[in-house]
Amino acid sequence: MRVRTEEKRREIVQAAQALFEEHGFDRTSMSMISERLGGSKATLYGYFRSKEEILQAVLVYDVTEEAERLMNELLADETLRNGLIQLGVAFLTRRLSSTPVANIRMVATQPAGSTIGKDFYERVLRPAWQRLAARFEMMMDEGILKRADPWVAAMHWKGLNEWDLFERRLLGAIEGPPDNLLEISTLAADAFLDLYGIDGREAGRRPTPKGSLKKK
């Protein structure tokens, strides 16, 4: 019996992700995935029992790994304000890129009665946001941020950065991240610190040029 490996599992997930983006979830078959891998369907079924199970793995890898990377963005800078700005840019760049958008579209088009969307939110997406909430709670404990509900603070940060960008991207109104992500993330960081910063905005704020808030 061949021993399953994490490397092989990841290879399957990456091949499936590419096919899902190329052909859509419904038009991708287990046979197509095994052909892309150059192996047998028996090997594929040794790792995943169904295409739906592969989709769930695609979602887990995508969100979990990105959550770890994004959290490092917040911790990398010496000042909270700059860390929030860099986190915002990294978050929006990833959020508006093709893979996350394709993943959300696949989940949203599952038939009624499917639990994939609910499982994705409860097991993957919400825990990813809870990591940010936990980090904000640590900052509240350290006296860096005002005491508040950490989950609400995380959702406020999310909304301040996202605007209507994800909806526009999901509906094809924009083709990718706009070119003013730094401006958007800076405004979001300053607004967040106005709400939750102990002394308001940390490290000051440069004035926003008139007309700079127009959609791009």
Side-chain angles (χ1 to χ4, degrees):
M1 179 181 292
R2 297 185 63 181
V3 178
R4 299 182 191 178
T5 65
E6 179 61 25
E7 182 179 354
K8 184 63 177 180
R9 180 182 172 86
R10 181 180 291 273
E11 182 184 351
I12 293 171
V13 169
Q14 290 174 338
Q17 173 73 73
L19 286 168
F20 291 159
E21 289 194 42
E22 292 170 17
H23 303 285
F25 177 77
D26 290 338
R27 292 192 296 274
T28 299
S29 67
M30 293 292 273
S31 295
M32 292 170 65
I33 297 171
S34 63
E35 289 174 7
R36 176 66 62 93
L37 291 165
S40 67
K41 281 203 291 186
T43 299
L44 181 59
Y45 279 105
Y47 286 86
F48 298 99
R49 293 171 295 180
S50 66
K51 186 175 65 169
E52 288 74 19
E53 195 172 286
I54 297 178
L55 174 58
Q56 290 175 328
V58 166
L59 299 171
V60 169
Y61 276 118
D62 180 56
V63 174
T64 302
E65 292 186 355
E66 283 305 307
E68 178 68 27
R69 185 181 68 82
L70 291 174
M71 194 56 58
N72 290 335
E73 294 285 344
L74 175 60
L75 301 176
D77 206 283
E78 292 182 358
T79 69
L80 175 56
R81 179 176 184 267
N82 288 339
L84 289 170
I85 292 170
Q86 294 307 314
L87 177 64
V89 171
F91 164 66
L92 288 174
T93 299
R94 178 62 184 176
R95 177 74 160 155
L96 302 175
S97 64
S98 60
T99 295
V101 171
N103 287 342
I104 292 297
R105 285 172 176 161
M106 285 188 288
V107 171
T109 56
Q110 294 305 298
S114 171
T115 63
I116 289 179
K118 181 174 181 289
D119 290 343
F120 171 53
Y121 175 76
E122 293 181 350
R123 298 179 184 179
V124 182
L125 200 55
R126 182 177 175 87
W129 284 111
Q130 284 175 326
R131 294 185 65 181
L132 180 61
R135 184 60 195 172
F136 285 159
E137 185 172 23
M138 289 177 60
M139 292 179 178
M140 293 170 189
D141 292 340
E142 295 166 359
I144 299 172
L145 294 176
K146 295 176 184 176
R147 179 63 61 188
D149 184 320
W151 176 259
V152 172
M155 293 300 96
H156 280 167
W157 181 87
K158 177 177 180 287
L160 287 167
N161 278 276
E162 275 196 349
W163 295 9
D164 63 342
L165 293 173
F166 186 68
E167 288 87 350
R168 291 163 65 195
R169 180 72 174 92
L170 193 65
L171 297 172
I174 55 175
E175 296 182 357
D179 58 9
N180 63 332
L181 290 188
L182 180 59
E183 176 189 3
I184 291 170
S185 298
T186 299
L187 291 170
D190 287 334
F192 182 83
L193 290 171
D194 277 343
L195 287 171
Y196 294 103
I198 293 297
D199 298 314
R201 302 165 193 164
E202 186 174 277
R205 173 181 176 181
R206 288 178 293 183
T208 302
K210 291 182 178 179
S212 64
L213 297 183
K214 63 183 180 181
K215 293 182 178 180
K216 297 187 179 183

